Amino acid sequence: MAVTQQLARIPVEYLAACRQLAGESPDGDPHWNPPSEDVLDLDWAPTLLERVCGLAGLDDVHLIALRLATQGDTSIDVGFLNTHPHGIAPFGPAPTALSTAEVAHISELLGQIDLRAVLATLTTDETEPASLIGDGAGGIAGGPRKYLLEHFNALREFYRDASLRRLQLVLWWD
């Protein structure tokens, strides 16, 4: 079983209800079960995206936004989602979350990143970008460019929809 990056778009009220349920439940069960259409599996793309954007010289504002988009923030307490036996991140770091305002800001900045241009700064030979990126990028079916573009576009659209719907995001590795 591979550990991959997961994101869920949720209303503020849903997170509050899960927090309350966890506090009232004898075993801390938050009844966490966001709708599947509001969950995104980014696979192992976050580290690779950050690395390729860093190699391409993406400015700090957009690089930090990309990092927040995949790592979240700890200002919203979601520790109750990581309580045994109902923890959603048993194989990775503790879950994090982003407020609706953070989601809107990150969505705006992700929309400004031209990943095709970022990827164009790398050589056209697929073996060289794979060796620069590392982390097994050479073994990605279809090549790292296609993989990164697909996952970045999914991330950007996921944030755009969350921003339009004024939703929070919860992030974890599972």
Side-chain angles (χ1 to χ4, degrees), residues 1 10 30-31 38 67 87 118 120 134 148:
M1 174 165 94
I10 55 164
H31 297 274
D38 284 323
R67 191 172 299 128
V118 167
L148 291 172

Side-chain angles (χ1 to χ4, degrees), residues 20-124:
Q20 182 176 351
L21 287 167
E24 294 170 353
S25 171
D27 65 351
D29 186 357
H31 297 274
W32 174 258
N33 190 23
S36 60
E37 64 271 9
D38 284 323
V39 176
L40 175 66
D41 183 340
L42 273 183
D43 198 39
W44 297 336
T47 302
L48 302 176
L49 283 167
E50 186 177 335
R51 184 165 296 138
V52 76
C53 288
L55 288 170
L58 187 67
D59 65 273
D60 286 344
V61 169
H62 290 91
L63 199 54
I64 290 168
L66 178 61
R67 191 172 299 128
L68 277 172
T70 59
Q71 293 179 8
D73 189 6
T74 58
S75 61
I76 297 174
D77 178 18
V78 290
F80 66 92
L81 291 174
N82 206 29
T83 303
H84 182 76
H86 305 286
I88 66 171
F91 305 110
T96 58
L98 294 166
S99 70
T100 57
E102 289 172 310
V103 168
H105 182 68
I106 290 168
S107 174
E108 181 181 333
L109 292 172
L110 290 177
Q112 296 169 3
I113 297 173
D114 181 353
L115 196 66
R116 287 188 189 279
V118 167
L119 293 170
T121 66
L122 304 175
T123 180
T124 56

Side-chain angles (χ1 to χ4, degrees), residues 99-173:
S99 70
T100 57
E102 289 172 310
V103 168
H105 182 68
I106 290 168
S107 174
E108 181 181 333
L109 292 172
L110 290 177
Q112 296 169 3
I113 297 173
D114 181 353
L115 196 66
R116 287 188 189 279
V118 167
L119 293 170
T121 66
L122 304 175
T123 180
T124 56
D125 174 13
E126 283 291 335
T127 58
E128 192 171 331
S131 66
L132 287 172
I133 298 167
D135 286 331
I140 294 173
R145 280 185 173 80
K146 180 181 178 203
Y147 175 86
L148 291 172
L149 194 55
E150 286 175 0
H151 284 79
F152 178 77
N153 287 339
L155 178 69
R156 182 173 43 205
E157 288 305 310
F158 196 77
Y159 268 85
R160 186 174 89 69
D161 184 67
S163 176
L164 291 172
R165 293 168 53 199
R166 300 194 42 77
L167 299 174
Q168 291 182 312
L169 259 77
V170 173
L171 305 91
W172 71 99
W173 285 86

